Amino acid sequence: MPQESHDHNFKNVFLDFPRESLELFYPQALEQYGELQEITFVRQEPRKRRLSDSALALDMPILFRFARGSLLLWLVEFQEDKEKFSIYRLLRYATDLMEVHPDAVVIPTVLFTDRKAWRKDVPRKLESKFAGTTFLHFEYVHLKLFALQANDYYTVNNPVAKILMPKMQYPPSERLEVLRYAYLGLYQLVSWAHFEKYVDFIDVYAEVQPEEQKVLCAEIMENEETAMLAQYIKDLGRVEGRVEGRVEGRVEGRQAILQRLVTKRFGQNILDFHLQEQLRKATPEQLDLWAERILDAESVDDVFKDN
C-alpha cells in the first residue's frame, strides 16, 4: 500500500472519530478542560514564507473548543517509517500553528504505526541552553502503537482502540482473539456505515487471510458472547439512523455485504452477469440464505446453488 494511501487511511480514523481519538491518546485534555463544545479541522498546509519554498503539509491539525472557552490545537502526525521522522520539521509545523492560532494550546503528537520493535528510539525533545538560560525547549506526545498491549483494550469502549488493535502488540496465539474483540467492539460502538468502512481497515492492516476469516465467522456465529456480531450476516442492512421498515435500504446493504463476503471468502468478485442479476432481484430471505452458506460453501457456485 503506498505511503500516501496509508497516511490517508489513518487520517480518516481521526477525521471520523476526533473526540474518541483525543480521549484515547490524550485524555488529559478532556480531564482538564471539561465539556467539549466544537471541533474544527484547520487548514492542513502552513503558508509559505517564500513562494519558492516547498510545501509543508500538516498531517492532522484539529482545533478543539471547550465550553469554558479554552482552545486546544492538536497536531497529529502519522509515521509508518520512523527513519523519515524529523523532529525539526515537527517543530516548524508547531510554531506555524502557534503563530496562526495564538490563543490555542498546541499539542504536537506523533503516532508511529509500524508493527515492529525498535532498536533505536527517535529524538523525543530539542533543547538549547547556555549559561543557565534555556533558549529552546520542545517536546511532543510520542505514541507507538506497537508499544501498546492489545489485550489492555479488550474492554475499552472506544472505536478508535478497536480499529487500531491489529497494529498493537500481541502474541501470535492471541491473534484471533484480538481480531474477534476488534470486530465485536467496532460493531457495538459505531454506525453501520462506519462498521462497513473500518472492518476493511482491520482486515487490511491485520492481513486477515481467507482461512482466518472462515474461522472467525464460524466462531462469531456459534459463540454466545459474540452473538450480536453474527447479525452483520443475518441483518446486513442495519444502518443507524434510518427509519425502521425501509426494505429497499436493507436489501441494498445485504447485497453489498454479500459481495464483500464472497470476495473475502473465495478471493474473487461476483463478476458473472447472471449472478449479478440474481443479486439485484433477490429477496431479503434469499440474501440471508446465501450469506449463511458462505461459511461452509467450497465455491461461489455452492453459495448460489438451487438459485
Side-chain angles (χ1 to χ4, degrees):
M1 180 176 293
Q3 184 67 32
E4 289 184 2
S5 173
H6 169 90
D7 290 347
H8 182 72
N9 289 337
F10 278 89
K11 282 183 182 182
N12 264 271
V13 176
F14 281 62
L15 282 168
D16 285 333
F17 305 105
R19 189 192 191 285
E20 293 85 350
S21 298
L22 184 67
E23 185 177 42
L24 180 66
F25 290 121
Y26 204 70
Q28 301 94 315
L30 295 169
E31 293 168 3
Q32 180 167 335
Y33 291 139
E35 183 183 353
L36 186 59
Q37 187 176 63
E38 183 182 0
I39 300 174
T40 306
F41 297 94
V42 303
R43 186 169 179 262
Q44 294 195 39
E45 184 179 309
R47 67 182 184 276
K48 296 181 179 183
R49 290 179 172 82
R50 294 185 303 273
L51 291 178
S52 58
D53 290 346
S54 58
L56 294 175
L58 300 181
D59 269 356
M60 184 62 65
I62 310 173
L63 184 64
F64 295 92
R65 185 183 298 275
F66 294 85
R68 295 200 296 265
S70 300
L71 287 174
L72 185 149
L73 187 51
W74 195 27
L75 166 58
V76 183
E77 178 177 335
F78 305 99
Q79 192 70 59
E80 175 74 11
D81 184 355
K82 73 181 183 74
E83 301 303 325
K84 295 181 179 179
F85 169 68
S86 170
I87 191 171
Y88 303 99
R89 183 183 65 236
L90 184 64
L91 173 59
R92 295 199 299 274
Y93 287 177
T95 54
D96 278 342
L97 287 173
M98 291 172 69
E99 184 178 4
V100 177
H101 302 275
D103 296 329
V105 175
V106 176
I107 308 293
T109 300
V110 182
L111 183 62
F112 295 93
T113 60
D114 57 324
R115 283 203 81 250
K116 60 184 177 182
W118 290 356
R119 294 183 179 180
K120 183 180 179 181
D121 202 356
V122 296
R124 301 253 185 145
K125 64 181 180 179
L126 291 174
E127 279 191 327
S128 180
K129 294 181 177 181
F130 183 74
T133 300
T134 299
F135 297 99
L136 173 69
H137 180 90
F138 174 71
E139 296 184 44
Y140 62 95
V141 180
H142 179 286
L143 300 169
K144 178 164 171 53
L145 283 177
F146 193 57
L148 305 177
Q149 296 294 328
N151 59 13
D152 289 340
Y153 296 87
Y154 284 173
T155 58
V156 174
N157 291 325
N158 187 308
V160 179
K162 305 306 180 185
I163 292 168
L164 298 181
M165 257 189 203
K167 299 290 284 185
M168 298 179 188
Q169 187 171 174
Y170 54 84
S173 59
E174 293 183 16
R175 175 174 167 82
L176 290 180
E177 191 77 357
V178 169
L179 294 175
R180 186 162 42 245
Y181 272 103
Y183 288 160
L184 178 61
L186 188 62
Y187 180 82
Q188 292 174 328
L189 295 171
V190 305
S191 69
W192 178 250
H194 280 146
F195 177 79
E196 270 270 72
K197 182 176 182 178
Y198 288 106
V199 76
D200 283 339
F201 183 103
I202 292 171
D203 288 348
V204 168
Y205 286 100
E207 298 181 354
V208 179
Q209 302 301 309
E211 297 78 12
E212 293 177 314
Q213 190 75 30
K214 183 176 181 180
V215 171
L216 282 168
C217 285
E219 291 183 359
I220 286 167
M221 291 289 287
E222 297 174 2
N223 192 320
E224 184 176 346
E225 295 180 359
T226 55
M228 284 184 64
L229 185 51
Q231 294 306 306
Y232 92 85
I233 293 177
K234 288 186 172 295
D235 190 16
L236 297 171
R238 187 182 71 84
V239 181
E240 187 176 9
R242 285 191 176 180
V243 178
E244 187 175 353
R246 291 184 61 178
V247 176
E248 182 179 352
R250 291 199 299 270
V251 169
E252 289 177 356
R254 283 175 166 85
Q255 292 168 344
I257 292 297
L258 186 61
Q259 292 200 51
R260 188 173 69 84
L261 289 174
V262 168
T263 300
K264 288 183 177 297
R265 174 70 175 83
F266 302 105
Q268 65 186 80
N269 291 312
I270 305 176
L271 300 176
D272 184 88
F273 176 81
H274 174 69
L275 293 180
Q276 289 280 0
E277 189 70 4
Q278 292 300 320
L279 272 178
R280 189 178 66 82
K281 296 179 178 179
T283 65
E285 292 74 18
Q286 285 176 308
L287 293 168
D288 285 344
L289 174 62
W290 295 337
E292 291 176 359
R293 285 178 176 172
I294 286 176
L295 292 175
D296 300 315
E298 296 182 0
S299 67
V300 174
D301 291 337
D302 288 340
V303 175
F304 299 97
K305 65 183 178 182
D306 304 323
N307 183 25

